[in-house]
Amino acid sequence: MTFNTQPKASHFINGEYIEDTAGAPIDVIYPATGAVIARLHSATPAIIDKALNAARDAQKAWAAMSGTERGRILRRAADRMRELNHDLSVLETMDTGKPYQETSVVDATSGADALEYFGALAPSLTGEHIPLGDGNWGYTVREALGVCVGIGAWNYPTQIACWKGAPALACGNAMIFKPSETTPLCALKVAEILHDCGLPAGLYNVVQGYGDVGHALVSDDRVNKVSLTGSVPTGKKVYATAAEGMKHVTMELGGKSPLIIFDDADIENAVGGAILGNFYSSGQVCSNGTRVFVHESVQDKFLDRLCARLQSSVVMGDPLNDATNFGPMVSDRQRQIVMSYINKGLAEGARLVAGGSIVEGDGFYIQPTVFADVTDDMTIAREEIFGPVMAVLPFTDEAEVIARANATEFGLSAGVFTRDISRAHRVIAQLEAGSCFINSYNDAPVELPFGGSKQSGVGRENSKEAIKHYSQVKSVFVRMGDVEAPF
Ligand code: NDP
């Protein structure tokens, strides 16, 4: 099976592709060349209404099926995604610009993991039996929420579509997914695969559009739950809109996460962790450890090895080439944002030790960039950049670095490199972050909860935790004897 970058139509609703050219055009740009590779249209009110009705009408029958039946469809879709991994990875690369070397092992594969994991979990979604004395008892039922809206960021379009869709469907909900308009292609394929694998029509719909389409979905009375992956400012808006209707929410938002490298760390591994946590996907990863605190006694060694590895091993270029390991920014706009942060770093006195420039020629490339001598008050140490810019900050002792690591409104992730296992756990226990790493960085297996604390989010994706965010508990009291009433 070969995918064209131009999809059959812009939207996927009620089991089929559907177009409405009255919607504002969305040009899809291949970030490696700047070429337009597809034209789609934003959803009109009629399209949004169609998706909401389809989801509402299909959901109850889906929830009434057994978990085993639902799970079987999800697991079939997981297998199909793996069979199609090559083509899906090419599409992900065209949509985002991320190198095929990455997309072929991270995107459709992680989407398939979510479908497999939640497909396997679906039959085990049961309630509890609770003895209450005097022969009375109660039971709980874990019920679907109804219609869920998923809104995605542009960095992991396939993965986000699956991370939201798989637990929603496993729990018996219907999903309407709105991708970022920057990367609208991959979620359509997820919808197509799910339906090819037996998902009844109306249960996984994709509508395209800008923020106004997301807003129309979030504010609609037919919607029961909203899961957003996006920035903190968008999260605040979406959370507030959802609150108007008392809707359930999951918010996966941004970060400015600390990665702490102690003096006893294996420096080569620490450098590897810092590379993974700053330059994978050209730095466009929410959980990145962009504030790299390095003990002052090993800072020079760390920077030497980091710069040497960047110099010898970064392969920038055509993302579809197997050897390329560093791709462009997703868009020209994102490149401009990142460059403005690099310029602020320079203006505020950080020491540039690697990169710092755009790469001339086609595509939206920026060199992997490292600043040393960064202080906590600099803009590049406080704000999420969402690009390949690492800030290295020296520290002297444990209590100091913990306080500095926590001095941020974000709380998505945190990492520690040390050979002292007691210190590793002691420090991690004090870091205010939802997803933490010891002697590693940015691993995201489906079995582990993923999500942020503080302004980085509400709720968790993946793992059994996600089930709690896509279902609600009904409790039932059962009296076995007579009712004693006062009159
Ligand atoms: P944005 O916050 O700009 O957008 C996220 C999504 O929300 C887009 O689909 C956007 O549509 C939509 N949207 C915007 N305004 C509204 C609104 N008022 N109502 C409903 N929907 C709306 O994020 P980006 O796409 O720029 O992605 C980057 C951000 O995402 C970073 O901050 C990053 O940290 C975060 N992120 C978080 C992750 C996590 O799991 N914690 C993972 C990946 C990214 P449109 O694009 O059309 O405006």
Side-chain angles (χ1 to χ4, degrees):
M1 183 170 170
T2 310
F3 295 115
N4 296 320
T5 45
Q6 177 66 46
K8 287 181 201 145
S10 298
H11 318 288
F12 192 97
I13 297 172
N14 211 15
E16 57 187 12
Y17 278 97
I18 178 164
E19 190 56 86
D20 183 350
T21 53
I26 298 172
D27 283 339
V28 187
I29 291 167
Y30 182 35
T33 62
V36 175
I37 54 166
R39 169 166 278 204
L40 282 72
H41 293 271
S42 183
T44 55
I47 287 285
I48 295 170
D49 196 52
K50 207 177 168 60
L52 286 161
N53 284 338
R56 186 194 53 192
D57 293 348
Q59 186 266 325
K60 287 211 160 38
W62 174 246
M65 283 166 63
S66 75
T68 303
E69 288 171 302
R70 289 199 301 271
R72 190 178 302 136
I73 293 168
L74 298 188
R75 284 185 289 109
R76 215 182 281 144
D79 291 345
R80 188 77 185 125
M81 280 192 84
R82 292 204 181 94
E83 282 162 24
L84 296 173
N85 185 45
H86 170 73
D87 290 348
L88 292 174
S89 304
V90 171
L91 192 71
E92 174 93 19
T93 291
M94 303 292 290
D95 218 5
T96 62
K98 292 183 294 179
Y100 179 81
Q101 195 187 93
E102 284 187 20
T103 57
S104 57
V105 293
V106 163
D107 294 279
T109 51
S110 138
D113 283 355
L115 289 163
E116 182 174 356
Y117 179 87
F118 288 106
L121 218 52
S124 69
L125 303 179
T126 56
E128 282 183 297
H129 167 266
I130 303 158
L132 294 170
D134 293 336
N136 300 324
W137 53 284
Y139 63 96
T140 61
V141 185
R142 190 154 282 283
E143 295 186 331
L145 297 174
V147 175
C148 302
V149 163
I151 301 178
W154 38 257
N155 57 347
Y156 283 87
T158 305
Q159 185 185 84
I160 296 171
C162 293
W163 279 20
K164 298 191 189 306
L169 292 170
C171 292
N173 302 287
M175 168 63 69
I176 302 173
F177 188 78
K178 189 204 84 69
S180 164
E181 91 282 354
T182 310
T183 54
L185 301 178
C186 300
L188 290 168
K189 285 293 167 193
V190 173
E192 193 183 313
I193 289 167
L194 280 162
H195 285 83
D196 286 352
C197 292
L199 187 73
L203 291 167
Y204 192 98
N205 309 279
V206 177
V207 298
Q208 308 292 350
Y210 299 89
D212 60 324
V213 172
H215 180 77
L217 289 167
V218 174
S219 53
D220 195 279
D221 288 344
R222 284 163 285 188
V223 170
N224 306 94
K225 150 117 202 176
V226 178
S227 177
L228 170 82
T229 297
S231 62
V232 172
T234 303
K236 287 181 179 172
K237 280 191 239 163
V238 172
Y239 201 170
T241 306
E244 294 280 316
M246 208 56 80
K247 292 169 186 165
H248 297 251
V249 294
T250 300
M251 294 283 147
E252 292 294 348
L253 309 176
K256 190 74 195 176
S257 302
L259 170 55
I260 303 173
I261 296 165
F262 284 99
D263 48 357
D264 65 342
D266 178 317
I267 291 297
E268 217 53 58
N269 282 333
V271 168
I275 287 173
L276 283 174
N278 281 270
F279 301 128
Y280 207 70
S281 302
S282 298
Q284 303 165 113
V285 181
C286 51
S287 49
N288 271 357
T290 47
R291 288 183 297 144
V292 182
F293 292 96
V294 184
H295 193 271
E296 57 184 0
S297 67
V298 291
Q299 180 178 253
D300 289 348
K301 197 171 160 199
F302 174 84
L303 287 172
D304 282 353
R305 285 304 302 143
L306 176 65
C307 292
R309 282 172 67 168
L310 291 178
Q311 208 142 32
S312 65
S313 308
V314 173
V315 183
M316 221 182 292
D318 176 1
L320 290 168
N321 184 331
D322 281 341
T324 300
N325 58 23
F326 190 83
M329 297 287 93
V330 76
S331 64
D332 191 32
R333 182 168 167 268
Q334 190 61 19
R335 178 164 71 167
Q336 286 171 25
I337 292 170
V338 175
M339 278 313 298
S340 77
Y341 277 109
I342 290 175
N343 290 331
K344 276 184 200 152
L346 292 168
E348 292 176 17
R351 176 165 58 99
L352 185 68
V353 293
S357 305
I358 64 167
V359 179
E360 297 302 336
D362 291 339
F364 313 130
Y365 291 85
I366 291 185
Q367 295 170 330
T369 296
V370 181
F371 282 105
D373 301 340
V374 177
T375 53
D376 298 356
D377 56 339
M378 288 181 185
T379 309
I380 58 166
R382 287 186 290 108
E383 296 182 15
E384 182 182 47
I385 299 174
F386 226 58
V389 183
M390 184 194 299
V392 178
L393 307 94
F395 74 93
T396 47
D397 77 63
E398 188 179 306
E400 168 220 332
V401 76
I402 291 168
R404 290 171 62 195
N406 286 336
T408 168
E409 81 247 32
F410 298 108
L412 187 51
S413 298
V416 173
F417 274 84
T418 174
R419 285 196 176 94
D420 178 344
I421 200 69
S422 305
R423 171 155 64 187
H425 292 291
R426 186 171 66 234
V427 171
I428 284 290
Q430 295 173 78
L431 292 176
E432 297 162 358
S435 301
C436 296
F437 307 91
I438 293 176
N439 292 329
S440 191
Y441 207 85
N442 262 353
D443 313 71
V446 67
E447 298 87 348
L448 264 187
F450 180 81
S453 57
K454 294 157 85 176
Q455 305 244 335
S456 291
V458 172
R460 292 292 178 266
E461 297 200 297
N462 287 341
S463 81
K464 288 183 228 163
E465 285 295 312
I467 296 298
K468 295 181 192 157
H469 300 288
Y470 282 99
S471 61
Q472 60 191 339
V473 169
K474 174 183 277 176
S475 64
V476 181
F477 179 98
V478 182
R479 183 174 296 284
M480 300 301 285
D482 295 332
V483 174
E484 276 180 37
F487 49 83

